[in-house]
Amino acid sequence: MDSEDDDYYRGDTAVEYSEDDDGGDDHGDCEFDNDSDGVSASRRKQNYIVLKEADIRQHQEDEITTVSTVLSVSRADASILLRHHRWSESNVHEVWFADEDGVRKALGLLDGPVVRFPNAKELTCGICFESSPLDGINSAACGHPFCDLCWRAYMSTSINGGPECLMLRCPDPSCGAAIGQDLIDRLVSEEDKEKYARYLVRSYVEDNPKTKWCPGPGCEFEFCWLCLGSWSNHGKCNRYKADQEGSYDETEMRRAMAKKSIERYTHYYERWATNQSSRQKAIADLHRMQTVNLVKLRVKHSEPESQLKFITEAWLQIVECRRVLKWTYAYGYYLPEHEHAKRQLFEYLQGAAEAGLERLHKCAEKDVQAYLGPEPLQTDFNDFRSKLAGLTRVTRNYFENLVRALENGLSDVDSQGAGSEIATTESGPAEKDCGSNIGLCSRKVKVWEAMSVFGS
């Protein structure tokens, strides 16, 4: 049901490039492996170099150029190939020469159009169903025609919705043709172009096993992977905000309604998919914690295994909360827009639960690293235990409140659009004896799963 993908919680903007990652892919960049017999011992110890964003973009462009030249494909197709294969030229070459047709089919890289209109003077857009002259129509390699206005709306919505825009496909439901950066650059605004380029740089660093984000203080500190807003003053991006409707004629009204429908679906789908990916990553992190890091903590801090269960419980809570949060976005998609009071309560409870989960996830993922290092810490390990156990309990309460409200159909909303759940959550979630139950009303989540259009 879930598929592993990228994570969206936090990210620094300066990067380090590792040179001695034996498990990494070969990028063919000889300048990184600059150790030689004549190099001093002190220089051999430096196993990384620091790259600015401009350097990263240049390396990225160089790799795209190389793959494009070797495989005789467009730069847009070369970029798609590299993204899919974690920016490894050697992996791209291996799979391409082994089964070019299979790779093209899997990634939507078509040799030619599947639909043709050789003698047409104008075509009907597949989204708004309005006829437009050929110079106002564009298509991906498949040839399915859409007007420039609908293309811009589709692309802009996807780009502003999150990193999934890097895997954009043809809007036709029956088609899987990939949309390359060339078409995006030709149609979207300068602001959207820059956002897409930033997602591309993020992909190059996140997916490349030889590159890491700089963890040092003073670096440029961090932004939300979904909305690209600054993390330091990051607000809630769970709430869908529709554009204000202006004055339209009938044709423009139909296009505006189609654009709004796409934007709304994309908003909820992107957050559904991101939490799905984040849950898969949390499962992998839980496994690594149980098999590797807990052993280190037992030895380093002389803690018996029974005293470290709070870490495992925190990760189990994260995994389950990601599952619940994912399906709340399906619930939000189906919640009628005219029920403003219920929507306000839902978005408040969902946002509070999501914020609590982010705090818990950060503590379990980042803060624990300080106790795994070689240097002694000023803070006691018991302080970390209290903090993580407390965040686990509070997050569980947030999600219990959220699920209970959804189970009751958000019926606690009063005549003024405020509910008893809001009063409870504002001052902190009501304490409840949940014991060690991590299930979080799984039977109710199954209902959301069954009704969702987002996937199975």
Side-chain angles (χ1 to χ4, degrees), residues 2 93 122 165 170-171 321 329 375 377 403 416:
D2 295 306
H93 295 162
E122 61 178 28
C165 65
C170 172
C321 286
Y329 281 104
E375 298 297 327
L377 290 178
V403 172
Q416 296 182 357

Side-chain angles (χ1 to χ4, degrees), residues 87-274:
W87 296 94
S88 168
E89 294 178 33
S90 59
N91 285 353
V92 169
H93 295 162
E94 181 179 349
V95 299
W96 182 266
F97 291 119
D99 184 12
E100 178 181 340
D101 291 338
V103 173
R104 284 186 177 276
K105 183 177 180 180
L107 301 187
L109 305 179
L110 306 183
D111 281 326
V114 295
V115 292
R116 298 177 184 272
F117 305 92
N119 300 319
K121 294 183 179 179
E122 61 178 28
L123 296 173
T124 300
C125 172
I127 294 178
C128 66
F129 302 107
E130 293 293 329
S131 296
S132 299
L134 292 183
D135 60 1
I137 291 286
N138 270 285
S139 66
C142 55
H144 290 115
F146 301 96
C147 69
D148 290 352
L149 181 63
C150 289
W151 267 121
R152 292 190 187 98
Y154 175 62
M155 292 176 175
S156 180
T157 300
S158 299
I159 291 171
N160 286 285
E164 292 295 322
C165 65
L166 296 179
M167 280 77 78
L168 211 56
R169 299 293 181 106
C170 172
D172 189 290
S174 64
C175 183
I179 296 176
Q181 189 175 3
D182 52 349
L183 185 59
I184 290 174
D185 287 344
R186 188 161 69 245
L187 293 175
V188 302
S189 65
E190 290 299 322
E191 180 183 358
D192 286 342
K193 286 182 189 177
E194 180 56 29
K195 283 186 179 181
Y196 186 89
R198 287 187 66 184
Y199 282 132
L200 201 61
V201 171
R202 296 281 306 177
S203 168
Y204 185 82
V205 177
E206 296 285 350
D207 296 340
N208 189 335
K210 289 188 175 182
T211 59
K212 305 293 180 185
W213 294 113
C214 175
C219 196
E220 293 183 19
F221 288 101
E222 298 167 331
F223 56 88
C224 173
W225 179 230
L226 268 180
C227 67
L228 295 182
S230 173
W231 189 264
S232 60
N233 58 358
H234 183 252
K236 298 172 184 175
C237 62
N238 66 308
R239 187 169 301 165
Y240 171 69
K241 298 178 181 179
D243 293 336
Q244 296 295 322
E245 293 185 3
S247 176
Y248 300 105
D249 59 25
E250 184 178 353
T251 300
E252 290 175 333
M253 181 63 74
R254 284 200 297 269
R255 291 181 176 178
M257 290 177 63
K259 177 178 181 289
K260 181 179 178 181
S261 178
I262 293 173
E263 288 176 344
R264 184 171 181 273
Y265 177 83
T266 301
H267 171 87
Y268 288 101
Y269 173 76
E270 292 289 356
R271 284 152 181 78
W272 180 91
T274 300

Side-chain angles (χ1 to χ4, degrees), residues 60-78:
Q60 193 175 42
E61 288 298 314
D62 291 344
E63 292 189 16
I64 292 173
T65 299
T66 300
V67 170
S68 174
T69 302
V70 173
L71 303 186
S72 298
V73 296
S74 68
R75 290 179 57 81
D77 287 355

Side-chain angles (χ1 to χ4, degrees), residues 17-43:
Y17 193 103
S18 172
E19 295 181 80
D20 60 349
D21 185 350
D22 294 334
D25 296 323
D26 179 12
H27 285 257
D29 292 319
C30 297
E31 64 270 28
F32 294 148
D33 300 319
N34 53 10
D35 261 348
S36 63
D37 293 337
V39 180
S40 65
S42 61
R43 187 174 179 182

Side-chain angles (χ1 to χ4, degrees), residues 286 289-290 294 298 303-316 381 385 388-389 392 438:
L286 168 62
M289 178 62 68
Q290 291 176 317
L294 286 183
R298 285 202 300 269
E303 293 279 354
E305 184 175 356
S306 60
Q307 295 300 311
L308 296 176
K309 287 184 178 179
F310 72 97
I311 299 179
T312 300
E313 290 176 356
W315 277 106
L316 287 172
F381 186 72
R385 186 200 318 274
L388 186 60
T392 302
I438 307 296

